Amino acid sequence: MMSGSPIQDSAVVTHDAPASIYVARSLAGALDALGEYGTAGAPFAGGTWIMRSPIRHQPLKTHYVAIGRLPELTAVRISSDAIEIGATITHAALAAALAGLPEFAGLAAAAGHSANPAIRAMATIGGNLATSEFAAADCVPALLCLDADVEISDRRGREHLSLTDFLKIRSTLAPGRLVTRIILPRTERKTAHVRLPLRRAGDYPVAIVSLSVSLDATSRVQAARIAVGSVEATARRWPRLEAALLGRPLDATAVARTATELTDEFVGRDSVDAPAWYRVSVLPGLVRRAAIAALGS
Amino acid sequence: MSDVSATMDLRRRDAADKLRGRTRYTIDRYLPGMLHAAVLRATVPSGRIVRLDTSRAARIPGVRAIVTATDAPGMIGIGIADHPLFARDVIRYDGEPLAAVAAVTLAQAQAALAAIEVEIEPLPAILTMADALAPDATLVHPDWRSYEVLLEGGARGGNVAWEATVVRGDVDAAFARPDVEIVESCFRVGRQNHVAFEPRAVVASYEDGRFHIETSTQVPWSIRNATARLLGVPASQVRVTVPPVGGGFGLKFDLAVEPFAALLARASGRPVRLVNSREEEMLTCLFRENADIRIRSAVTREGDIVGREAVVLMDCGAYGGEQIFLTTMTAHTLGGNYKLENVRMVSRAVYTNTTPNGAFRCCNGVYNTFALERHTDEIASRIGMDPLAFRRRNVLGDKDLGATGQVFESNVLGPMLDRMDTLRDATTLPPARSDGRLHGRATTVGTWFVFVGPSAATVNMNADGTVTLVTSGVEIGSGSMMQSLPQIVASTLGIAPEHVIVRAADTDAAGYDVGVGGGRTTVSLGAASLSAAQEVRTKLLKVAADMIEAAPDDLVMRDGRIEIAGAPGSGRTVAEVATRAQTVGGPVSGTGAFTGAGVPAMPGCVAGHFIDAIDIPVFAVHDCEVAVDPETGHVEVLSYRVVQDVGRALNPRAIHGQIQGGVVQGLGYALHEEVTIGDNGRVCQNGFETYRVPLALDVVPVEINLYEGAPSIGPLGTKGAGEVPILNVGAAVACAVANATGKRVQALPLTPPRVLELLLDRKPELTLPHIADKWADNLIRPH
Amino acid sequence: MGFSLTVNGDRLSCAADPATPLVDILREEMHLTGAKPVCREGFCGACMVLVDGEPTPSCLVPAALADGREIHTVEGLAPHGALNRIQTALEASDAVQCGMCFPGMVVSLTHLLTARPDASRDDIRAALTGNICRCTGYERIVEATLLALATR
Ligand SMILES: Cc1cc2nc3c(=O)[nH]c(=O)nc-3n(C[C@H](O)[C@H](O)[C@H](O)COP(=O)(O)OP(=O)(O)OC[C@H]3O[C@@H](n4cnc5c(N)ncnc54)[C@H](O)[C@@H]3O)c2cc1C
Ligand code: FES
Ligand code: FES
């Protein structure tokens, strides 16, 4: 026996508990409120994920703390050895801030080509990293190959951890903790971000390859980072392929060939959009394109 | 009978308000005291209702009415009445309505839905046509024999809701000839969602013992009649009016939410608004049906088709609906394009425990054209003939016989193919690309028709020189009601089209009409409007003749005046004559009516058909060039060309707009728009994230050539032009992709995963084991 | 709890739940039915309004975050019932069919005309990624935008 239930998602007046949304005026105020609410609360950044809860048939939280307009979190600070990105900077603003920095071409492409223009002006980088159910997030693989560190804050203070480690803990991030900044070291490198939507634009990518390489004086690969997004539930690096590039010139065709041999380490995810095998099959082609784009950058 | 041309580039009178956000569609109507309604829907595809208790829900604050199956005793359908409004005891699809609630706020109505206690015993579900046709399949409608038959003639049985056949000549003998090649092809297509931007929506009220239904529909009269039948009230108690409709495409060619709101309005005594959520639209839309098709041809080495047979299975979902009617269309679409001597085709609507399918722009034609044209390319390749040469040799020409033995008039497709050559050769070929993609091109032909059928119109002459055109026509976006109809009336009366007031549809004001769809607005409503306007013209000329002291035959109507031919400035204004006429004989008006001519088929060759032959054939030639990415399976359409048979183009600019829009919808069907049904019987694509319609970056400007002059019984020689542009897009893209890749394209849509699957030979070729090898074994009733 | 927003220059207060999408407030409380809730997911753009001058899908903005903001809907883009530059061009190009997407199209394109006066055909197409039209096949909309840019 089972019971009927409505297929309904219309106006969001349907949420069971009337949510409160506290618009924080300062970071400290936001952290206090989040600490106060505990598991009943969550940050509200761009809202482009949260406001779609009804279509996912997920209940809203009882309390949200709006952090989108905190000056502490919307800045990009660029120094000679690092750049610091505030967590609520939008995709559009990040792409604009990185425009003059070729070493961040990959991240700029990720932030500048995700979603659609209006969404890019709303969705935040922190929201992109923090949404653990969102496998297709563009910025995650792009940041993974830039050795990003994530700063997490709560009422008691802040800590830094690598993005890789953050991805491991993000689904169990304690209530009251907030991603506040993303820190990227600066080195000379060539980067690229290749996303594969099913239409030419506007879709979630079904597979992403982000790449970052440093070349030595003889144009051989000195260091390589390759991250794969959307293929599995969480984006991750591709260490065997990275290792295979070292010490050789970056040759797109050769890299793609190597990638073909190494794709078996990915177990794709099946979803309504695309079958698992497809996401894995396209990887060598995306690697090739990423290499070409990086060399051109 | 008119003195000025009806051809003009008239702009749409509704554009400015639509651009300012002022137009009030049904979803924008909020009445004082209005209640909000919501529908409880089943969440299993098949089951028995053990208990449905609304008593707790009725106590939720704000709830004003709850209705269930006992409130709607009737059954509706096309051909057979198999469809109740609410599931009664048995649930046949996921999403089937169980109850409806009206409350002061939508949130209250939804809270009440959640409080309805339902116990359902799940039953095994038939989710595919293969399962439905298996020898011992469970029946979706165990009581199918007891249903009222509304049209005699279709064979029925088991899970086959309706079967239509055409048999002509000696197909066995043709296939047995020693000099022929036998080519067999199998195809499968999925469903397509209309994604009309305005969901199905209604505001209903109940006043003075009558229902007033304001709804977003293409078929006000069908809504009137079907609602009455379901509710068990006389149809005269239902009035339907239609605000501007925010997209139809066939979705709104059938009843949807109207009876729920009507019942709730009667029960509560208040106006009731019911609007489908987007998710409801995605999951329970009356999709273009999925279909399985096998076609075999016997062809000589010289390229003559001497025999053809086909089996088409169309999934009607849980109830017969439109698919029953559409079984008719196979003879005219899959049996179209080419002259045929010996032919047999069966087209079967098959019940499954899935959401019912419906009508969608060029229903049935889109996939049968895909199948026919791919099959044609496979034939050409088998006999080593150029596919265009093969088409030229075989396309229907003057006095050729179509599948049902109807005699086609005039050479149309042949000259249209020539026209396409000119169009194609005029554009310089794109420079050879070295981007590693596979390039391909194809030219395909298609046959569609105008769904004529009854229409009525009244033209009231106003003393100020304007006229009011009263019909049951609906403006669904195509512009026919804003452009061709006023143009026809204006040219007949020699007045400015702006002076033709077009009354919005109201079944209390205008006569019966089949509805807006099937390319029939300009033709059927146009013909009725034309004869109504001609009656007014005759009456006015008589009065004017007295006033001017001239013979009516010597008078012309132009520029808002009635004057002696060749003597501009003589005579009187139309307003003066109308005023005079009103004084001497009362206000002037005219009425007009139209229905199909009934072109004959060959006697005895069709069974189970609603239409034996097509009154107004419409032909289309499409040409498309694609590039296929071998790494990802992405198909890019590089160019697209259309030569379309329009009879006569009254508003060429408007037709161009329809063609661009229709082709793009076809590109969605061909490339992006996929509907799949999960093991739970539910459609998997529940919103815009997973159901992909073309975006601005996915499309190309279509090069268009309008072919005028083909015979038509339409007014002023017109044919419908808004429906057909989608007809052969799937075919053209599929043939081009097959040519680019050298692979056998057997299915649509060609999403990147499906194309890559083809390129990598990941899947065996499609076979259709549920279609019996011997054609006759597929029939319930021998033909 | 209540919010106050400025809509098309009028200061208005609203009593909706804080998470109520702006599109519902505009339509149901303020009777501005121009913005259409078509997908409620940020994909279609039919609900687009300007929030502090930026094109924003109003289905994704909760009431609490519309508080104190300056909102312009399609109804408020041209004064006194006239048509603005893009509306004029769209009308002249016979671009409109069912019309449901146009309130959002007009908002996005009105912004584009000032923000990207040099936009090319491909820029316009890319800019429309979040504005879907089911009827027209986009061509006339792109043409009209080029026309509007040219008649600056
Ligand atoms: C139509 C559409 C298309 C899209 N396409 C893409 C795409 O192609 N690629 C892509 O990458 N993205 C895309 N997105 C955006 C993506 O889906 C997410 O919506 C977005 O990344 C979330 O960011 P947000 O700021 O809106 O988060 P919100 O909706 O505000 O929050 C999302 C989640 O993250 C939490 N959260 C937010 N900020 C923080 C923080 N600083 N610390 C801790 N937790 C936090 C929230 O509590 C919530 O659980 C698309 C969105 C839409 C609407
Ligand atoms: S309804 Fe807001 S973007 Fe579609
Ligand atoms: S005109 Fe109908 S959606 Fe654009």
Side-chain angles (χ1 to χ4, degrees):
Chain A
M1 297 286 170
M2 48 201 310
S3 73
S5 83
I7 307 171
Q8 278 286 344
D9 82 308
S10 46
V12 181
V13 276
T14 55
H15 53 241
D16 340 70
S20 82
I21 301 182
Y22 168 66
V23 184
R25 301 277 167 232
S26 69
L27 179 56
L31 293 173
D32 270 345
L34 283 168
E36 210 67 54
Y37 291 139
T39 52
F44 188 111
T48 63
W49 185 266
I50 293 169
M51 290 299 283
R52 291 186 290 155
S53 303
I55 191 86
R56 296 190 300 269
H57 296 272
Q58 288 173 347
L60 289 174
K61 287 268 185 194
T62 314
H63 302 289
Y64 286 103
V65 176
I67 56 172
R69 277 181 290 171
L70 297 178
E72 297 98 316
L73 299 188
T74 46
V76 179
R77 220 163 285 129
I78 302 175
S79 65
S80 56
D81 55 352
I83 74 170
E84 297 176 8
I85 302 168
T88 64
I89 189 164
T90 64
H91 286 62
L94 180 60
L98 297 176
L101 305 168
E103 57 183 291
F104 294 111
L107 181 58
H113 293 280
S114 69
N116 60 52
I119 299 296
R120 287 199 289 272
M122 293 176 88
T124 69
I125 187 95
N128 208 251
L129 296 193
T131 312
S132 42
E133 306 120 277
F134 183 32
D138 269 290
C139 292
V140 178
L143 289 168
L144 275 175
C145 44
L146 297 176
D147 297 316
D149 269 354
V150 177
E151 179 192 84
I152 297 176
S153 307
D154 61 18
R155 285 203 265 206
R156 289 177 300 277
R158 33 185 191 183
E159 68 170 301
H160 285 220
L161 66 175
S162 74
L163 176 57
T164 311
D165 289 340
F166 171 75
L167 294 178
K168 285 182 199 140
I169 61 139
R170 66 176 172 174
S171 64
T172 55
L173 197 65
R177 305 187 76 196
L178 194 62
V179 175
T180 39
R181 281 188 305 166
I182 293 108
I183 298 115
L184 308 176
R186 293 192 68 172
T187 56
E188 193 156 315
R189 57 190 157 196
K190 294 176 178 298
T191 66
H193 182 82
V194 176
R195 64 198 302 273
L196 187 71
L198 288 179
R199 283 172 299 203
R200 287 183 70 193
D203 284 324
Y204 286 174
V206 294
I208 304 171
V209 169
S210 288
L211 174 137
S212 145
V213 287
S214 309
L215 303 180
D216 66 15
T218 62
S219 289
R220 283 167 201 280
V221 176
Q222 222 169 15
R225 301 274 182 274
I226 297 170
V228 171
S230 198
V231 172
E232 297 179 338
T234 306
R236 67 174 167 95
R237 300 240 312 255
W238 194 346
R240 283 163 69 205
L241 185 58
E242 290 173 0
L245 300 191
L246 293 180
R248 294 200 258 161
L250 186 62
D251 168 346
T253 315
V255 185
R257 210 177 309 120
T258 314
T260 311
E261 287 156 20
L262 298 176
T263 49
D264 56 354
E265 72 172 72
F266 289 92
V267 184
R269 67 188 170 97
D270 269 319
S271 77
V272 176
D273 324 44
W277 69 264
Y278 180 76
R279 297 177 195 274
V280 177
S281 294
V282 296
L283 284 177
L286 301 190
V287 167
R288 189 177 64 78
R289 286 163 210 209
I292 292 171
L295 287 171
S297 77
Chain B
M1 198 172 57
S2 89
D3 311 305
V4 262
S5 170
T7 302
M8 46 188 105
D9 269 354
L10 177 67
R11 283 194 209 167
R12 299 177 61 130
R13 55 186 72 184
D14 57 345
D17 271 4
K18 285 180 170 175
L19 288 164
R20 285 182 290 213
R22 290 182 179 179
T23 301
R24 301 218 306 132
Y25 302 86
T26 303
I27 56 161
D28 300 324
R29 308 221 160 205
Y30 295 89
L31 303 183
M34 183 177 81
L35 302 176
H36 296 264
V39 175
L40 182 71
R41 296 175 179 278
T43 52
V44 294
S46 173
R48 192 172 312 285
I49 303 172
V50 179
R51 192 169 73 90
L52 184 106
D53 184 347
T54 59
S55 49
R56 209 159 62 81
R59 293 195 295 272
I60 299 269
V63 171
R64 293 289 182 268
I66 302 183
V67 293
T68 61
T70 51
D71 298 289
M75 306 263 278
I76 56 168
I78 297 176
I80 23 167
D82 62 356
H83 197 169
L85 180 61
F86 293 103
R88 297 178 189 160
D89 308 326
V90 184
I91 287 167
R92 295 199 174 83
Y93 70 95
D94 178 88
E96 184 158 19
L98 303 176
V101 178
V104 175
T105 69
L106 186 57
Q108 289 167 332
Q110 286 167 346
L113 292 189
I116 296 177
E117 290 162 33
V118 196
E119 278 178 38
I120 293 164
E121 178 196 341
L123 295 173
I126 299 283
L127 297 182
T128 65
M129 293 195 284
D131 288 350
L133 295 174
D136 310 312
T138 317
L139 295 190
V140 177
H141 290 265
D143 297 334
W144 64 272
R145 282 192 181 80
S146 70
Y147 294 151
E148 184 187 349
V149 175
L150 306 173
L151 180 101
E152 296 291 342
R156 301 155 58 214
N159 284 325
V160 177
W162 195 271
E163 185 173 283
T165 44
V166 49
V167 174
R168 191 162 63 73
D170 190 341
V171 178
D172 284 327
F175 276 75
R177 273 169 59 162
D179 60 336
V180 297
E181 289 278 336
I182 310 291
V183 181
E184 172 175 324
S185 317
C186 289
F187 301 99
R188 167 166 286 168
V189 292
R191 299 185 186 201
Q192 184 180 20
N193 193 313
H194 315 70
V195 197
F197 263 32
E198 183 185 32
R200 284 164 297 171
V202 58
V203 179
S205 50
Y206 187 72
E207 287 163 13
D208 300 329
R210 294 183 79 223
F211 297 92
H212 177 193
I213 296 176
E214 249 192 317
T215 181
S216 184
T217 189
Q218 298 170 243
V219 286
W221 280 88
S222 304
I223 301 297
R224 172 188 185 265
N225 297 341
T227 301
R229 200 181 151 95
L230 284 168
L231 270 52
V233 302
S236 57
Q237 282 182 13
V238 184
R239 172 188 176 203
V240 177
T241 59
V242 189
V245 173
F249 318 119
L251 171 67
K252 297 168 184 172
F253 211 75
D254 202 349
L255 168 131
V257 288
E258 295 85 357
F260 304 115
L263 282 172
L264 291 165
R266 186 175 63 184
S268 65
R270 295 186 35 188
V272 173
R273 173 184 199 259
L274 176 57
V275 177
N276 268 352
S277 70
R278 182 54 56 184
E279 187 171 35
E280 286 178 298
E281 288 287 278
M282 297 310 296
L283 301 188
T284 68
C285 123
L286 300 162
F287 298 91
R288 183 193 301 287
E289 67 275 13
N290 52 305
D292 292 341
I293 300 149
R294 190 191 67 201
I295 176 167
R296 279 185 189 141
S297 299
V299 188
T300 65
R301 304 209 155 277
E302 295 70 45
D304 292 323
I305 307 164
V306 298
R308 173 160 285 172
E309 66 172 36
V311 179
V312 176
L313 305 179
M314 313 164 48
D315 191 343
C316 54
Y319 297 100
E322 190 75 24
Q323 277 62 47
I324 305 259
F325 172 87
L326 293 181
T327 55
T328 289
M329 290 312 300
T330 292
H332 310 300
T333 55
L334 197 64
N337 291 2
Y338 306 107
K339 49 191 177 226
L340 296 174
E341 281 173 47
N342 306 296
V343 56
R344 58 189 176 205
M345 294 186 166
V346 57
S347 164
R348 320 177 85 189
V350 179
Y351 286 129
T352 57
N353 288 119
T354 60
T355 182
N357 289 314
F360 192 141
R361 208 172 192 172
C362 284
C363 326
N364 165 293
V366 166
Y367 56 77
N368 273 337
T369 304
F370 154 63
L372 177 59
E373 291 301 283
R374 278 284 303 120
H375 179 63
T376 302
D377 277 3
E378 291 188 353
I379 292 172
S381 124
R382 174 79 71 83
I383 62 172
M385 195 165 169
D386 172 64
L388 258 174
F390 181 85
R391 285 181 171 83
R392 246 180 246 290
R393 183 181 181 99
N394 285 284
V395 289
L396 286 163
D398 193 31
K399 302 287 174 285
D400 283 335
L401 294 190
T404 67
Q406 102 171 75
V407 182
F408 280 85
E409 269 178 62
S410 176
N411 278 322
V412 183
L413 271 172
M416 286 174 69
L417 280 168
D418 296 341
R419 194 72 79 82
M420 180 57 86
D421 287 347
T422 318
L423 194 62
R424 195 193 306 112
D425 297 345
T427 40
T428 42
L429 282 175
R433 278 162 240 233
S434 54
D435 58 3
R437 292 193 295 177
L438 310 166
H439 288 245
R441 164 194 295 292
T443 303
T444 62
V445 298
T447 307
W448 189 240
F449 80 126
V450 178
F451 178 44
V452 280
S455 280
T458 303
V459 171
N460 293 323
M461 185 71 230
N462 304 317
D464 60 5
T466 65
V467 300
T468 309
L469 173 64
V470 185
T471 70
S472 292
V474 174
E475 178 50 58
I476 59 171
S478 66
S480 307
M481 300 298 297
M482 299 292 149
Q483 291 164 319
S484 33
L485 259 49
Q487 285 176 222
I488 288 172
V489 172
S491 86
T492 308
L493 298 175
I495 59 177
E498 298 76 36
H499 290 166
V500 180
I501 299 156
V502 180
R503 168 81 147 93
D506 179 347
T507 57
D508 275 5
Y512 179 76
D513 186 74
V514 179
V516 169
R520 63 185 298 285
T521 314
T522 300
V523 169
S524 297
L525 281 161
S529 305
L530 178 63
S531 58
Q534 281 168 343
E535 188 183 328
V536 170
R537 179 185 163 100
T538 307
K539 290 178 178 171
L540 289 179
L541 288 182
K542 221 161 133 221
V543 174
D546 284 346
M547 291 169 79
I548 306 170
E549 297 181 351
D553 283 352
D554 294 338
L555 299 179
V556 294
M557 294 186 78
R558 68 154 71 102
D559 301 330
R561 298 181 65 83
I562 303 180
E563 47 196 29
I564 298 164
S570 66
R572 302 294 179 86
T573 65
V574 171
E576 286 166 335
V577 178
T579 308
R580 171 83 183 152
Q582 184 166 307
T583 316
V584 296
V588 172
S589 67
T591 58
F594 179 81
T595 191
V599 170
M602 202 170 274
C605 73
V606 293
H609 274 59
F610 289 71
I611 299 175
D612 294 350
I614 49 185
D615 286 334
I616 306 181
V618 181
F619 298 106
V621 177
H622 288 204
D623 178 276
C624 150
E625 190 201 3
V626 300
V628 179
D629 186 329
E631 285 178 338
T632 65
H634 277 66
V635 176
E636 184 185 355
V637 173
L638 302 174
S639 68
Y640 207 96
R641 299 180 182 86
V642 170
V643 176
Q644 185 170 313
D645 159 30
V646 294
R648 172 175 165 200
L650 289 187
N651 191 327
R653 197 163 70 142
I655 296 177
H656 281 236
Q658 286 296 305
I659 292 177
Q660 175 75 29
V663 166
V664 165
Q665 235 172 32
L667 291 177
Y669 183 69
L671 294 173
H672 309 292
E673 297 178 32
E674 179 142 53
V675 174
T676 48
I677 292 176
D679 294 339
N680 60 359
R682 179 173 294 188
V683 170
C684 301
Q685 292 74 11
N686 68 342
F688 278 55
E689 181 187 317
T690 42
Y691 190 79
R692 298 189 171 74
V693 300
L695 306 179
L697 277 174
D698 297 309
V699 311
V700 287
V702 178
E703 284 176 62
I704 297 165
N705 186 291
L706 304 183
Y707 185 88
E708 295 192 83
S712 169
I713 59 162
L716 314 176
T718 53
K719 296 185 175 189
E723 179 160 47
V724 74
I726 198 174
L727 179 68
N728 21 357
V729 187
V733 172
C735 291
V737 169
N739 290 340
T741 60
K743 299 290 179 183
R744 206 170 178 203
V745 172
Q746 294 179 288
L748 293 178
L750 290 164
T751 58
R754 182 162 287 129
V755 173
L756 194 61
E757 197 170 69
L758 269 178
L759 288 167
L760 300 177
D761 295 318
R762 275 185 65 95
K763 244 191 170 172
E765 287 196 348
L766 173 75
T767 54
L768 301 170
H770 50 295
I771 295 182
D773 182 56
K774 214 165 141 259
W775 182 82
D777 291 348
N778 291 288
L779 269 55
I780 292 171
R781 188 171 65 202
H783 186 118
Chain C
M1 179 127 168
F3 307 104
S4 109
L5 14 158
T6 308
V7 181
N8 301 334
D10 295 333
R11 236 182 130 72
L12 302 164
S13 58
C14 105
D17 274 359
T20 307
L22 174 59
V23 65
D24 293 325
I25 297 172
L26 293 172
R27 291 172 53 82
E28 286 169 30
E29 290 196 34
M30 296 169 183
H31 308 292
L32 292 166
T33 54
K36 308 291 183 212
V38 171
C39 72
R40 292 180 179 277
E41 285 191 81
F43 282 98
C44 77
C47 67
M48 202 73 80
V49 298
L50 297 175
V51 177
D52 293 341
E54 289 298 316
T56 308
S58 58
C59 63
L60 297 181
V61 177
L65 294 183
D67 189 33
R69 315 285 286 268
E70 182 98 34
I71 290 147
H72 285 276
T73 69
V74 66
E75 288 95 335
L77 290 182
H80 313 304
L83 298 180
N84 73 9
R85 193 144 53 102
I86 189 67
Q87 287 166 325
T88 306
L90 287 164
E91 198 205 16
S93 311
D94 200 23
V96 178
Q97 293 191 19
C98 90
M100 282 282 293
C101 66
F102 276 96
M105 287 280 174
V106 165
V107 169
S108 294
L109 292 172
T110 298
H111 180 262
L112 179 129
L113 291 193
T114 47
R116 320 253 327 254
D118 303 323
S120 68
R121 193 183 169 81
D122 281 347
D123 293 338
I124 297 166
R125 293 163 76 214
L128 290 179
T129 301
N131 284 94
I132 300 181
C133 175
R134 187 54 161 163
C135 300
T136 65
Y138 302 102
E139 185 54 23
R140 294 259 167 98
I141 300 173
V142 175
E143 289 286 312
T145 311
L146 288 167
L147 177 72
L149 284 168
T151 54
R152 208 163 342 145

